[in-house]
Amino acid sequence: MNPLDRITLTGLRAFAHHGVLEFERTDGQTFVIDVTVHLALSDAAAGDDLAQTVHYGVLADQVVAAVERDPVDLIETVAERVAVTVHKPDAPIAVPFADVSVTILRGRLDVPRAGEVAVIALGSNLGDREHTLVAALEELDAVDGVSVVSSSPLIETIALRPAGADPDAPRYVNAVALIRTTLAPEQLLDVLHAIESAHGRERAERWGDRTLDLDIVSYGELEQQTERLTLPHPRAHERDFVLRPWLAVDPDAALPGRGPVAELLARLDAGSPQPPHPEHSDGAA
Ligand code: ATP
Ligand code: CA
Ligand code: CA
Ligand code: CA
């Protein structure tokens, strides 16, 4: 079993009265819940039997009961490292989406609307990779002027070196998080660098092994190129390990100047090159 496998329960149904609108509260509606439990490396090492670690049936019952009570209870109810997505397929909205979903990250439902939405890519290929990424998200959320809105499942990927993919190098764990921030982009970069440093990040060689890498994939619709900070991230559009988790956390995501993430990923999967940016040439770097 891949030690980064996760248990995902999809399509659990619960009937409840949550919502901001009057009739949602009086009439109630169906909630459809997806739950992802990330297994720690130690759990996987202990044996191949997933049922030993988490009992699906018990988890499902607990999640449905928690949603019917109060979605905020969810995170207390289930395991610590769990991502829960609650869909409201009958939600009263006049937009052409199949449903409305909100990913609850460790109990956070109170994210302020102020500031810009920014997309952060996380990576680690040294140490307790999963733990580092989860800790980094908590530290990021704890910063004044930053709120983590949601985070993708963790994925494991082969290390990329300047010479290409290296199957012999320690593998990465990657994720993407959506944040809201009132910080300026450069301030946000400083915050990310401070969190990296706190986790022992060292910069020796280009694309060398690291305990933690935090990149700004995008900051609102901003496009800029300064010595310290290029936005969007100049290589995000060609990176599977960025686009795939980003799409998982936001199916409608688009990269400023490049277009929908779903299309960028489809071209990568097909082995087709990405079209050049309309306004600047893509360097080899
Ligand atoms: P890559 O940028 O290809 O992902 P890397 O993450 O390994 O490589 P680092 O050594 O972490 O590269 O960062 C080098 C510098 O890149 C940082 O000090 C920062 O000033 C600059 N940088 C420019 N644009 C960004 C961005 N969008 N996000 C993060 N860092 C950026
Ligand atoms: Ca905060
Ligand atoms: Ca990087
Ligand atoms: Ca970086």
Side-chain angles (χ1 to χ4, degrees):
M1 187 190 85
N2 182 327
L4 285 161
D5 271 352
R6 55 189 204 266
I7 295 176
T8 300
L9 301 173
T10 46
L12 302 175
R13 300 177 85 80
F15 193 84
H17 294 79
H18 313 302
V20 291
L21 302 177
E22 182 66 32
F23 84 85
E24 289 186 290
R25 294 196 176 276
T26 52
D27 299 351
Q29 64 186 310
T30 300
F31 287 74
V32 179
I33 309 136
D34 302 335
V35 184
T36 300
V37 181
H38 297 283
L39 298 178
L41 295 174
S42 51
D43 298 336
D48 277 346
D49 189 358
L50 282 181
Q52 265 184 321
T53 315
V54 178
H55 191 291
Y56 300 86
V58 171
L59 180 65
D61 288 348
Q62 287 179 342
V63 167
V64 169
V67 165
E68 287 176 344
R69 257 196 329 272
D70 177 356
V72 183
D73 284 357
L74 265 176
I75 304 300
E76 268 88 90
T77 309
V78 295
E80 191 186 317
R81 258 178 278 188
V82 63
V84 179
T85 304
V86 180
H87 305 272
K88 290 161 68 177
D90 306 326
I93 50 164
V95 288
F97 299 130
D99 65 9
V100 180
S101 76
V102 52
T103 296
I104 303 166
L105 181 82
R106 300 167 69 77
R108 293 301 311 276
L109 287 172
D110 57 339
V111 173
R113 301 234 159 232
E116 277 291 353
V117 174
V119 178
I120 308 298
L122 303 90
S124 168
N125 80 333
L126 287 181
D128 186 341
R129 305 166 300 173
E130 289 179 293
H131 182 266
T132 302
L133 296 199
V134 172
L137 284 174
E138 286 177 347
E139 288 153 17
L140 189 55
D141 189 60
V143 172
D144 275 350
V146 179
S147 297
V148 174
V149 177
S150 56
S151 67
S152 73
L154 308 180
I155 61 167
E156 190 177 47
T157 63
I158 292 176
L160 185 66
R161 303 288 200 205
D166 182 358
D168 298 327
R171 286 170 170 247
Y172 275 82
V173 175
N174 292 104
V176 164
L178 306 187
I179 66 169
R180 267 202 182 266
T181 185
T182 52
L183 302 182
E186 286 75 15
Q187 291 177 304
L188 179 61
L189 184 66
D190 289 340
V191 163
L192 299 183
H193 283 166
I195 295 173
E196 289 176 350
S197 300
H199 287 276
R201 168 73 185 270
E202 287 169 10
R203 285 183 168 77
E205 61 204 288
R206 182 165 202 239
W207 296 351
D209 298 332
R210 71 277 304 268
T211 50
L212 181 61
D213 184 40
L214 299 171
D215 292 342
I216 308 176
V217 174
S218 64
Y219 181 100
E221 298 294 312
L222 189 61
E223 297 192 50
Q224 72 164 44
Q225 198 165 359
T226 65
E227 204 182 316
R228 282 195 69 209
L229 184 58
T230 301
L231 292 170
H233 189 284
R235 289 164 287 282
H237 63 283
E238 59 192 27
R239 290 180 167 172
D240 184 277
F241 60 85
V242 172
L243 300 177
R244 200 172 297 282
W246 188 7
L247 193 64
V249 80
D250 180 5
D252 303 313
L255 191 58
R258 299 277 179 186
V261 169
E263 289 175 20
L264 294 169
L265 192 59
R267 277 197 293 273
L268 267 194
D269 283 344
S272 320
Q274 302 297 5
H277 188 286
E279 278 155 43
H280 57 81
S281 59
D282 291 320

